[in-house]
Amino acid sequence: MECRPNCGACCIVPSISSPIPGMPNGKPAGVRCIHLQDDYSCGIFHSPERPAVCAGFKAEKIVCGNNRQEAMTILADLQGIDITGLIK
């Protein structure tokens, strides 16, 4: 499965404990990564600074569902957070 355009769920919902450029303490769950662009693409996708955890994430139907809302919901359930207000 390829990443879905205009999604970005994996850049918003999960917590990331490793440093991210500009986010030295990582990213809390439910917080938008500072590198997530307006079109929901990753601004450092091709950069060597992209964290290994991000590079290692592969889009799969089991976590990405059939659309962005399903991806947000599935990832939030896995993360154990409430995403009310995050889905737009």
Side-chain angles (χ1 to χ4, degrees):
M1 178 176 179
E2 295 292 322
C3 283
R4 179 180 299 113
N6 301 304
C7 181
C10 61
C11 300
I12 299 170
V13 179
S15 64
I16 298 175
S17 58
S18 60
I20 300 169
M23 299 180 93
N25 297 317
K27 183 191 86 60
V31 173
R32 182 184 176 108
C33 177
I34 64 170
H35 300 288
L36 187 61
Q37 306 294 299
D38 289 340
D39 67 354
Y40 295 106
S41 66
C42 175
I44 59 171
F45 190 84
H46 296 290
S47 169
E49 293 182 312
R50 184 176 177 215
V53 67
C54 298
F57 181 83
K58 303 298 179 213
E60 295 185 27
K61 188 160 179 118
I62 195 164
V63 292
C64 298
N66 294 306
N67 54 53
R68 181 176 190 270
Q69 184 167 344
E70 282 186 18
M72 296 283 285
T73 300
I74 292 167
L75 288 170
D77 287 347
L78 291 170
Q79 190 71 53
I81 65 168
D82 177 12
I83 57 165
T84 305
L86 292 179
I87 298 177
K88 296 179 187 171

